[in-house]
Amino acid sequence: IKIFQLDSDSTPTPKKIRETIEKFKETPGSILLGTELLVNYFHEKVPYAAVVTLDSLLSLPDFRISERIFYMLLRLRALTERELIIQTRKPEDKTFEFAAKGNITDFVRYSLDERKQFDWPPYSTLIKLSIEGKRDAIAAEMEKIKIFLAPIEIDIFPSFTAGARGNSLLHGIIRLPVGSWPNTELLSKLLSLPPSVSVNVDPKSLL
């Protein structure tokens, strides 16, 4: 069986992605194996589709990860004519159930309830601090920032993506109650941080 591969390594440009998709469409009985890039570029109906190794996404500490999975599955569902197969060790996860049924309304309710339980937006305001550099150096710097911002609490965790030139990335998350931002004292402290510290209010992702 002819297999066409679609990912950032084998198809690094939009032109290469479109060329690979066209070759797949011109080859009956072939398989298109791809990452999430496929969802953004592929718009043709196919008889069958399958999603594998999806559970790794569920382990990512990002409050929008369920939305990302739901959107991807919903797009694949719309493209699949006969059968969509989802491989998972967590079939009880409601995201899969709502996506399989195309149930957007109940997914939104479920997602909001989950966010409220863990105090994620829109039930809080998040501020994300990021530092890139050598691992030990940025860990020490983030600890200094944590002390400097006290009594405001900050949760520190490593990035799931590598920085430039082999550097490490470290993030810190400040979670504020709704209505408490802007905070004059906190804003003053954030503005006094060195330029090497990236400050992002209401980040789209924690990754």
Side-chain angles (χ1 to χ4, degrees):
I1 299 175
K2 180 67 176 176
I3 298 178
F4 295 96
Q5 194 168 332
L6 197 75
D7 56 55
S8 57
D9 292 326
S10 56
T11 51
T13 64
K15 180 181 178 181
K16 189 67 177 177
I17 292 172
R18 285 190 286 268
E19 288 176 352
T20 301
I21 290 175
E22 287 304 314
K23 290 177 182 177
F24 164 71
K25 290 160 57 177
E26 294 167 359
T27 311
S30 61
I31 293 174
L32 181 61
L33 178 66
T35 60
E36 287 180 79
L37 279 174
L38 189 150
V39 177
N40 297 324
Y41 285 90
F42 197 84
H43 307 292
E44 305 292 331
K45 291 277 188 178
V46 291
Y48 303 97
V51 185
V52 297
T53 66
L54 185 62
D55 291 348
S56 60
L57 289 177
L58 292 172
S59 65
L60 296 178
D62 189 11
F63 65 95
R64 284 198 167 102
I65 197 63
S66 292
E67 291 177 22
R68 178 175 162 189
I69 293 172
F70 183 76
Y71 170 75
M72 179 175 62
L73 294 178
L74 214 60
R75 285 281 296 119
L76 287 174
R77 182 180 183 274
L79 295 174
T80 307
E81 293 179 322
R82 297 183 184 178
E83 188 174 24
L84 169 62
I85 299 172
I86 301 171
Q87 181 193 50
T88 177
R89 292 185 178 90
K90 299 180 179 180
E92 71 282 355
D93 193 297
K94 289 290 187 180
T95 301
F96 299 137
E97 177 187 335
F98 296 138
K101 296 178 180 178
N103 189 342
I104 299 175
T105 302
D106 284 343
F107 171 75
V108 171
R109 292 196 187 106
Y110 167 75
S111 182
L112 287 174
D113 286 344
E114 194 174 49
R115 289 189 181 201
K116 187 175 184 178
Q117 178 183 353
F118 294 102
D119 201 21
W120 293 122
Y123 304 102
S124 66
T125 298
L126 300 182
I127 300 177
K128 177 181 173 183
L129 309 180
S130 303
I131 311 177
E132 179 178 343
K134 300 303 179 183
R135 183 179 301 175
D136 292 341
I138 61 176
E141 182 66 20
M142 192 64 86
E143 282 299 325
K144 291 179 182 178
I145 293 173
K146 186 175 184 178
I147 295 171
F148 176 64
L149 295 180
I152 297 292
E153 295 184 359
I154 175 170
D155 296 322
I156 302 172
F157 60 95
S159 172
F160 280 74
T161 57
R165 301 179 297 278
N167 285 333
S168 298
L169 276 171
L170 197 61
H171 300 309
I173 292 294
I174 299 170
R175 197 176 316 193
L176 301 175
V178 174
S180 63
W181 179 261
N183 178 307
T184 305
E185 182 180 352
L186 176 58
L187 178 60
S188 177
K189 287 185 176 182
L190 293 176
L191 289 172
S192 69
L193 294 175
S196 57
V197 182
S198 170
V199 180
N200 188 349
V201 180
D202 283 331
K204 292 183 178 180
S205 171
L206 302 185
L207 304 179

